Amino acid sequence: MHTPEHSTQFNIADYLIQSNQNRLQRLAYIDSHGTLAYGELFDKARRLTALLKNRGIRREERVLLLMNDCTDWPVAFLGAIYAGIVPVAINTLLTPQDYKYIIEDSRCQAALVSASLLRVLTEAMSQSEHEIKHIVVSRPQGELSHDQLSMDEALAAATPCHRPCSTHADEPAFWLYSSGSTGKPKGTVHSHANPYWTIRHYARDLLHLTESDRILSAAKLFFAYGLGNALTFPLGVGASVVLIDGRPTPDAVFDAMRKHQPTVFCGAPTGYAGMLVAPNTPTREEVSLRMCSSAGEALPRELGERFTAHFGCHIIDGIGSTEMLHIFLSNTPDDIRYGTTGKPVPGYELELRDEQGAIVANGEIGDLYIKGKSAALMYWNNREKTQATFQGEWTKSGDKYSCDADGYYTYAGRSDDMLKVSGQYVSPFEVEATLIEHEAVLEAAVVGVADSQGLVKTRAYVVLKDAAPAADDQLKEALKAFVKSRLAPHKYPRSIEFLDELPKTATGKIQRFRLREMHQLEPAQAII
C-alpha cells in the first residue's frame, strides 16, 4: 500500500479503503437513519466515483459538498477524492450570499447537497454567475426537478469504480473554507498527503485511538476539527463513529452518549461549559467515555477540572487550524496540565517569535509559527494572504502564546485581539479564564474599547449562570475585584456588561469583532 512516506503517488481515499479491507463487516457509522458498515461505505463511495465521472466531471474539478452530518457525507467525500475530483466541504449554516460567494470562488461543477439545504443552495445558485451543472440530493423529501438526482437512486444505478485515480501526494484533494470569523471565508486547499500525517501523528501517536473506539464529535464534518474526529481518524484506525445531524446541543450529545456509548467525545470549550450546567447531565456511570478532546479555543483550567471531576475522564486540550488541518499543539492522555495547551504534537515544530521575527524568551508572549507536513498548499485566489500565512516551511497561526521553562505552551489570545493597556500587554483569554472561575459566571469575552481620550481599556462581556438584575452594579464590582485578586492590577476589566449570550461562529469561537461593533470600534483600534 502506497504511503506519502514511501511514494509520491498517493490517494487518501484509496489508502483508507485499503487499510480497512479486513474490517468490511465492522460498523463504520451510525446516524439517525441507521448504520453503515465499512464494506457498504466503500461500495457506495466507489459508486459515487462512477456517478461523478459518468456526469463528465474531471480530475481536479471541484464539487460542492453541502450536507448535514449523515452517512452520505463520508460517501460523498471519499467517492469524489477516489476519482481525483476535489470536494469543497462547506458550512451548513451560511446565508445564500455566502454560498454564492463560495460557488463563484470555487467554480464547482456539481453539488452534493442535503434535501433540507436544497432551498438555500437553489437561492444562491439563482444569484450566481457561475452555473452548477449537476445537483445530487441526499435523502430527498418528495419530487425532485428534472435537473436534480436522488443520491440513493443514482448510486443504486451506478456500477462501482474499483480503480482509484493515480493522484500525487501533493495534489489538491479537498478544500475547506475558513469560518470567516474575521472576514470573508478563504478556500484552504489541502493535499492527499495532509490527512495521512494528521492520522499518524495525532490520532495514532498522541491519542492512541484504536478500532475498539467509538467516536462522537460535536464539531461537524465540514470543519477541519470535525473532519479529523469523525472521518479520517476513525477510518485511519478502523474505529466507528456516531453522527449527530442537527445542532450538537447538550441534550443531543447526551442522548447520543446514553444510546450509543461512545468512548471518545470531541468538543469545544463552549460545549463543555454548556454540558456541565445542563439539567440532565448524565452521571459518569451512564456513559462509557475514556477520553475527550477539545479545540477551537483554549480550554480554561477550571472548566477542565470540573469536567474531569464529574465524568472521571480527562479532556485532551489542543490547538489546531484549518491551515494545518488538525491539532499540532496538545496535552496528551498521560500528561494533562489544565490551563496550558501542552506541548508540540509529534511530527511538528513550533516557534514563538516577536514582531521582528526573533525567538522570544521563555515566559514571553510571541506569535506562534508551526512547521509540519499537514500544512495546506494555499488559499485559493488569495496570493497576499497565502504569502502572509505560509512562509516557506513555516505557517503563521495568528495566535499568541508563551512557553514556560518546562516546555508547556499557554494561550495568550489571537494576534489581532491582544491589548496594550497602560503600556502593558493584556491577554483577553487570561482575563476571560479568570472571570469564569467565579461561581456566578458561565462565559466571558474581553475586548478593548477606547475611552474619551482614545486610550484602550478592557471591557468584559459576561454571561451568567443565573440571570442578573438589569443593573447589578454590585456584582460587576465583585467581578472586577475577583480578577484583581488573581491577576496583575492593570489586567482587570475596566467595565463589565451582562449579555444573554455571546456572538459566536458556527464552530463556537467567540466573535470579538461583533462585540467591538457594538461600540462602533474598528478592530485596528484594539490591537497592539
Side-chain angles (χ1 to χ4, degrees):
M1 187 185 343
H2 293 311
T3 73
E5 297 174 76
H6 306 110
S7 174
T8 57
Q9 298 302 119
F10 182 72
N11 183 299
I12 184 61
D14 184 52
Y15 170 77
L16 294 174
I17 290 173
Q18 296 305 321
S19 297
N20 290 288
Q21 286 304 296
N22 62 340
R23 301 186 180 98
L24 299 182
Q25 304 306 313
R26 288 178 61 89
L27 178 66
Y29 283 95
I30 304 169
D31 70 7
S32 59
H33 287 258
T35 62
L36 192 67
Y38 271 93
E40 297 172 297
L41 169 63
F42 299 149
D43 177 71
K44 285 189 171 186
R46 285 166 163 152
R47 290 175 185 269
L48 194 283
T49 294
L51 170 63
L52 295 178
K53 294 175 71 172
N54 291 341
R55 290 276 156 174
I57 301 173
R58 298 170 296 180
R59 177 175 178 168
E60 298 182 13
E61 290 186 325
R62 274 80 63 191
V63 295
L64 206 66
L65 177 46
L66 178 58
M67 283 188 190
N68 298 314
D69 281 16
C70 66
T71 56
D72 282 347
W73 207 106
V75 167
F77 186 78
L78 295 175
I81 292 175
Y82 195 75
I85 295 166
V86 180
V88 178
I90 56 174
N91 192 326
T92 59
L93 303 174
L94 302 181
T95 66
Q97 278 299 110
D98 292 323
Y99 293 134
K100 172 182 178 293
Y101 169 79
I102 291 172
I103 288 169
E104 293 177 345
D105 189 52
S106 65
R107 299 192 297 276
C108 48
Q109 299 299 303
L112 304 160
V113 58
S114 289
S116 61
L117 297 166
L118 185 57
R119 182 193 61 78
V120 68
L121 176 63
T122 301
E123 183 177 345
M125 290 167 54
S126 70
Q127 301 171 13
S128 174
E129 296 180 1
H130 176 76
E131 179 187 4
I132 296 179
K133 300 181 177 64
H134 310 285
I135 308 293
V136 181
V137 183
S138 168
R139 300 174 181 174
Q141 305 293 320
E143 294 293 323
L144 297 175
S145 63
H146 70 280
D147 59 343
Q148 298 169 350
L149 294 174
S150 163
M151 186 168 173
D152 280 344
E153 293 179 3
L155 293 185
T159 301
C161 175
H162 288 277
R163 184 176 180 181
C165 183
S166 182
T167 50
H168 195 284
D170 291 336
E171 187 172 327
F174 58 95
W175 295 11
L176 299 172
Y177 271 85
S178 66
S179 61
S181 61
T182 58
K184 280 189 175 181
K186 300 181 289 293
T188 310
V189 182
H190 278 286
S191 72
H192 282 263
N194 286 1
Y196 172 85
W197 296 114
T198 62
I199 293 168
R200 175 183 162 180
H201 293 313
Y202 185 71
R204 292 178 181 160
D205 294 349
L206 191 142
L207 290 185
H208 307 301
L209 297 177
T210 73
E211 65 178 15
S212 300
D213 280 312
R214 178 170 292 181
I215 300 169
L216 171 65
S217 175
K220 296 299 185 178
L221 282 160
F222 56 77
F223 295 124
Y225 182 46
L227 180 65
N229 300 338
L231 198 154
T232 57
F233 292 173
L235 299 191
V237 301
S240 60
V241 183
V242 180
L243 296 175
I244 299 175
D245 58 0
R247 291 181 59 237
T249 61
D251 283 345
V253 170
F254 295 155
D255 181 64
M257 285 183 175
R258 288 184 170 106
K259 185 176 181 180
H260 300 297
Q261 296 295 304
T263 60
V264 177
F265 174 68
C266 307
T270 298
Y272 287 116
M275 290 166 66
L276 287 174
V277 298
N280 64 335
T281 303
T283 64
R284 67 173 66 182
E285 291 76 22
E286 292 181 272
V287 299
S288 299
L289 296 175
R290 72 171 184 86
M291 178 175 64
C292 295
S293 77
S294 180
E297 289 194 313
L299 180 76
R301 176 181 57 80
E302 185 267 349
L303 181 56
E305 290 174 348
R306 283 199 294 126
F307 189 92
T308 296
H310 181 88
F311 284 100
C313 67
H314 285 297
I315 301 176
I316 314 300
D317 184 34
I319 182 174
S321 66
T322 304
E323 291 77 9
M324 294 302 297
L325 189 56
H326 213 272
I327 290 172
F328 48 79
L329 171 64
S330 181
N331 285 264
T332 66
D334 56 357
D335 186 11
I336 304 291
R337 188 174 292 195
Y338 285 134
T340 80
T341 319
K343 297 180 178 181
V345 171
Y348 294 88
E349 295 179 43
L350 304 184
E351 288 185 355
L352 298 180
R353 305 178 187 173
D354 64 19
E355 294 174 359
Q356 287 72 45
I359 305 299
V360 303
N362 284 343
E364 294 185 4
I365 293 173
D367 291 305
L368 178 65
Y369 287 75
I370 313 103
K371 182 166 74 171
K373 294 183 178 179
S374 65
L377 300 173
M378 62 176 169
Y379 296 128
W380 182 256
N381 284 346
N382 201 329
R383 185 175 178 85
E384 181 179 358
K385 289 284 188 182
T386 295
Q387 290 178 328
T389 300
F390 304 104
Q391 302 179 12
E393 292 184 292
W394 294 89
T395 300
K396 184 177 182 180
S397 73
D399 297 290
K400 284 189 178 289
Y401 267 84
S402 63
C403 182
D404 65 22
D406 296 325
Y408 292 90
Y409 285 73
T410 300
Y411 184 65
R414 290 288 296 174
S415 297
D416 52 2
D417 287 325
M418 286 292 289
L419 308 173
K420 207 168 196 178
V421 179
S422 302
Q424 301 179 75
Y425 289 135
V426 175
S427 162
F429 177 77
E430 183 182 25
V431 182
E432 293 161 6
T434 302
L435 279 166
I436 69 167
E437 291 181 7
H438 192 281
E439 60 182 7
V441 177
L442 177 63
E443 292 183 294
V446 173
V447 298
V449 298
D451 64 13
S452 59
Q453 299 179 16
L455 299 175
V456 173
K457 306 296 183 185
T458 48
R459 171 169 288 166
Y461 292 87
V462 172
V463 178
L464 298 172
K465 293 177 181 176
D466 298 309
D472 194 343
D473 292 334
Q474 185 176 357
L475 179 55
K476 291 179 181 179
E477 292 305 313
L479 291 176
K480 291 179 185 179
F482 183 81
V483 175
K484 284 182 182 179
S485 71
R486 286 161 172 76
L487 300 179
H490 72 278
K491 295 183 179 181
Y492 85 94
R494 300 316 198 263
S495 61
I496 295 176
E497 289 191 19
F498 297 133
L499 298 178
D500 292 333
E501 61 180 2
L502 299 175
K504 297 171 186 172
T505 68
T507 57
K509 295 180 181 178
I510 297 169
Q511 294 176 309
R512 290 174 178 81
F513 73 96
R514 298 290 185 200
L515 298 173
R516 297 188 189 103
E517 288 173 354
M518 291 181 182
H519 297 270
Q520 299 179 332
L521 179 69
E522 293 296 325
Q525 291 178 264
I527 63 176
I528 298 169

